[in-house]
Structures are given as structure tokens and as C-alpha cells.
Amino acid sequence: MRIRLCLAALSLAGGAGLATLSAPSATAATCPDLDVVAARGTVEPGTLGLIVGDPVFSALQKKITGKTLSSYAVNYPADLSLTSAATGNADVVNHVNAQAAACPNQRFILVGYSQGANVVDNSIGISSDGAVVGSPIVATIPAALAPRVAAVLLFGNPIRALGKSVTGTYQSRTIDFCANGDPICQNGGTDVLAHLGYTSDADAAATFAAGKV
């Protein structure tokens, strides 16, 4: 019931398939310094995500000066299907691989909210299997590309309710917001609306990322 209530609340905030991307034709002049890869939450509207992705990208543009930024909205259903998070996981890895090949000096900022945090977790090798709208890992960003991931920004991360967090290679580059009482990321949380309030953390997330690039 708790999970249904939270997902219902998220659906009130707004309103695919596995894609393998080939490397686009690009030159150094057309390769932004940073590519912001954002995975929206379940049924979250907006270009990158109304609650998190869009405000975080806007904040990053203000905080990170002297560098050019592009954005990529992860192509996945962001619904309650059993394969949704896995589809997003595969798309993140495909996109990073393609961009890395096309733009050898480009770095990445990964952003994930709610189910999108599961997507990012999986992509950096932290399984979300067993979490709300989670899945087993289907692909991971290659170790050779790990240094090019400048920052990982997570919000309402469902693996937190399992007592898990990002550890290992990406730990020092990760900030993981979990609002007090958010039942999606806090075991025993009962404040459904807390899951919808992460826009207020956009500035802090961007400040963290700016310190990593």
C-alpha cells in the first residue's frame, strides 16, 4: 500500500524500448565538455524530468562556468513494467559508449531520480534488483570509461530502502539525496509527498558536481 501510494502521488506530478546507439559523427568543435545523462522517475513528465532532471540541468548550467554542456534524456519507459529499469540501464551504457567514442575528451554527469536512480545504479554496477521498480544489472559502463564520469547525482534512490548505497569506484563522485520520510528511499518512511520535493536539492547537487569537474 505504501509503495502504491507513493507511485500514485508521483503520477499526479505529471503524465521506449531498448535502443542501441551508434556513435554520432562529431568533431572536437561539436563535442560539449560535459554530457548530462538524466534518467527521469516513474511517469515523470518534462524533457529530462520535471521534478529533478530539468531543474538540475538548469542549475548545472549556472554553476559550471567555462565549460559547455549537453543533455541526454535516457530513452526508457519509466513505467511499472518489469523490464523498464533494465531498458534504461542498457540505454545509459549504450549512450555513454557512443558518446565516448565520438567525443574522446567529453566527460559525463549521471542524474537519476526514483526509478531513474535504479537505472543509474545499475549502469555503474550497483544492482537495484529487489528495490521498488528495480531490476538486475544488464550492462555497466566499462571500467576504462569510469574516470570520465565526473559526478553521479541521485534522488529518492530506491536501493537506499534496502540498506544499500553507491560504493566502490564511484562513491566519492556520488551524492545521494533521500528526503526524510520518503518511503521509496527510506525504510519505514511514510511521507509520500517527500518523494516529490527533490527540486529543492537541485542547487546543492549542481554545486557538488561543479566541484568534481
Side-chain angles (χ1 to χ4, degrees), residues 22-49:
S22 58
S25 176
T27 66
T30 62
C31 287
D33 298 313
L34 294 163
D35 188 36
V36 180
V37 181
R40 69 195 192 281
T42 306
V43 304
E44 185 188 10
T47 304
L48 301 177

Side-chain angles (χ1 to χ4, degrees), residues 165-189:
S165 62
V166 174
T167 57
T169 301
Y170 296 93
Q171 184 173 6
S172 64
R173 288 172 268 166
T174 298
I175 190 166
D176 192 343
F177 296 91
C178 180
N180 186 42
D182 179 351
I184 294 299
C185 61
Q186 184 182 86
N187 187 24

Side-chain angles (χ1 to χ4, degrees), residues 61-85:
Q61 289 176 305
K62 295 173 184 176
K63 294 286 184 180
I64 299 175
T65 58
K67 295 183 184 294
T68 54
L69 278 71
S70 59
S71 65
Y72 176 76
V74 177
N75 180 21
Y76 86 115
D79 60 20
L80 300 180
S81 63
L82 294 177
T83 58
S84 178

Side-chain angles (χ1 to χ4, degrees), residues 66-158:
K67 295 183 184 294
T68 54
L69 278 71
S70 59
S71 65
Y72 176 76
V74 177
N75 180 21
Y76 86 115
D79 60 20
L80 300 180
S81 63
L82 294 177
T83 58
S84 178
T87 299
N89 172 195
D91 188 64
V92 168
V93 175
N94 287 338
H95 175 74
V96 169
N97 283 335
Q99 281 297 116
C103 299
N105 295 318
Q106 190 173 70
R107 299 178 73 197
F108 302 92
I109 296 174
L110 307 182
V111 181
Y113 165 49
S114 193
Q115 183 177 174
N118 285 337
V119 168
V120 173
D121 290 332
N122 283 7
S123 300
I124 61 174
I126 309 295
S127 177
S128 68
D129 193 21
V132 177
V133 289
S135 78
I137 295 171
V138 296
T140 55
I141 294 170
L145 297 183
R148 291 172 62 176
V149 177
V152 179
L153 314 178
L154 304 173
F155 305 79
N157 188 355

